[in-house]
Amino acid sequence: MRIGVLTSSRADYGIYRPLLIALKEDPFFELSIIAFGTHPSSRYGNTIDEIVKDGFNVKHVINSMLLDDNANAIATAVALTALKFAEFWKEHGDDFDLTFCLGDRYEMFAAVTAGIPYRIKFAHFHGGESTMGAIDDCYRHSITHASMFHFVSADVHADRVRSLLGHNRNIIVCGSLSIDQMRQMEMLSNEAFFEKWKIDLSIPSVLITIHPETIQYQRNETFANEVKKVLDNLARHYQLIFTMPNADTAGSVWRTLFQKTADQFKDRAFAIENFGSQSYFTCMKKSAFMLGNTSSGIIEAATFGKYVINTGERQMGRVSGDNVIHVPFEASKILEAVKKVEGSHQYNGINPYDKGGAVSIIIDALKSI
């Protein structure tokens, strides 16, 4: 079975990774990775190198990103990506029996949209979810309509896909692939992590990732000012570890805040462009708690028993475990949540995205097609 895999960022590659390993090792499949979006960009850490370092051959690389992050640049990137993929599908559309796409990014939407006239057979991961504070719902649901197969992370998301499509065909509940990766991956020791990043994880730390709210992107400056008050407070008690935001509208607002905070607290704050999966999960596992609005806080943190303070509305609408505390972008509310987390023991409840092995569910489904 000839499988194409569309990957546009470090985020979706990290989710795909355990499945890619299984596909590569199984002679039933012929794997072709198609890297685009931020992967070839030096500004976002040349994350295509991480794919190669993991032993995968990147068969196709497509450049279509712009440096700016205003609304016009994002719209232009969508158009440019679709244009590039119009030619790609014309030349390579018949090379794949099935092409994987994942999530809700505008780059992924553009690549999939260009494949519709060519009748490319897409299989979509993480459809049926919702993010009220981001424009991604439009992209995600459009990708769902363009896809033939749907690997969803929870029953409620399967229900939403059924509602969107008007039928129940080819919808498979598999949980999240990233949880498989967390279980398979050997974490770094504190010593190895320090050698690689010069960050001492034996110091109480907070892992922080905040992406811009793209529905009301004009308010990101206001939100950042509130978060700055929180960071100044946290820096008195914790080491702050920032991972940089996605290439979204107004993402530079948060990049600037994180870099300035790292410069202000040189021995207590660190801004990392791209940890890679092993270092990121190691940092998550050993941090006191997570702060921000990243999907990994919603989907993955519960497996490590971590509490998450989820800020704003970007992730509102996604199913979340009891380890997630939802707060607005208000300094007082965020600091109240910090006190609540500090007074709690490690979370030992369920993770709604854990279905007991997503890779095996997906592989069995593919072989039955």
Side-chain angles (χ1 to χ4, degrees), residues 93-162:
D94 293 333
D95 293 353
F96 316 112
D97 298 311
L98 198 64
T99 300
F100 292 164
C101 52
L102 188 151
D104 50 25
R105 297 285 301 166
Y106 58 84
E107 314 98 293
M108 192 68 70
F109 160 80
V112 170
T113 298
I116 294 173
Y118 295 100
R119 309 306 299 153
I120 305 300
K121 296 177 182 178
F122 292 109
H124 186 207
F125 291 85
H126 283 277
E129 299 176 18
S130 181
T131 46
M132 294 170 59
I135 57 177
D136 300 344
D137 277 2
C138 297
Y139 300 136
R140 183 190 303 107
H141 298 336
S142 296
I143 295 171
T144 291
H145 279 291
S147 297
M148 179 178 291
F149 295 91
H150 311 272
F151 294 100
V152 299
S153 58
D155 291 334
V156 66
H157 302 145
D159 291 340
R160 189 172 288 126
V161 171
R162 291 187 193 102

Side-chain angles (χ1 to χ4, degrees), residues 118-287:
Y118 295 100
R119 309 306 299 153
I120 305 300
K121 296 177 182 178
F122 292 109
H124 186 207
F125 291 85
H126 283 277
E129 299 176 18
S130 181
T131 46
M132 294 170 59
I135 57 177
D136 300 344
D137 277 2
C138 297
Y139 300 136
R140 183 190 303 107
H141 298 336
S142 296
I143 295 171
T144 291
H145 279 291
S147 297
M148 179 178 291
F149 295 91
H150 311 272
F151 294 100
V152 299
S153 58
D155 291 334
V156 66
H157 302 145
D159 291 340
R160 189 172 288 126
V161 171
R162 291 187 193 102
S163 177
L164 286 167
L165 298 178
H167 63 73
N168 195 33
R169 295 188 299 276
N170 302 327
I171 303 172
I172 301 103
V173 179
C174 62
S176 176
L177 278 166
S178 57
I179 295 172
D180 285 40
Q181 179 173 211
M182 293 166 68
R183 287 182 171 147
Q184 296 170 6
M185 187 169 287
E186 181 181 352
M187 301 300 161
L188 296 171
S189 66
N190 286 355
E191 294 75 17
F193 192 90
F194 182 81
E195 182 177 347
K196 189 171 185 178
W197 300 103
K198 300 301 181 278
I199 300 173
D200 184 359
L201 290 181
S202 67
I203 298 172
S205 304
V206 182
L207 179 58
I208 302 166
T209 306
I210 303 178
H211 302 295
E213 298 228 350
T214 50
I215 291 290
Q216 44 185 350
Y217 66 88
Q218 302 92 336
R219 297 193 64 197
N220 279 287
E221 289 278 5
T222 301
F223 297 152
N225 289 336
E226 288 294 301
V227 171
K228 181 62 169 69
K229 300 172 189 175
V230 175
L231 299 180
D232 289 344
N233 183 291
L234 290 177
R236 300 202 299 264
H237 311 285
Y238 295 98
Q239 182 170 251
L240 308 181
I241 304 175
F242 303 105
T243 58
M244 289 303 201
N246 290 335
D248 283 325
T249 315
S252 58
V253 171
W254 296 101
R255 286 179 165 272
T256 300
L257 173 63
F258 296 158
Q259 192 58 62
K260 284 185 176 180
T261 304
D263 293 340
Q264 179 184 355
F265 303 104
K266 290 187 181 298
D267 60 339
R268 304 282 295 176
F270 305 88
I272 305 298
E273 183 61 56
N274 177 38
F275 262 137
S277 297
Q278 184 184 41
S279 294
Y280 180 75
F281 287 135
T282 298
C283 190
M284 181 190 296
K285 184 176 182 179
K286 298 190 177 186
S287 293

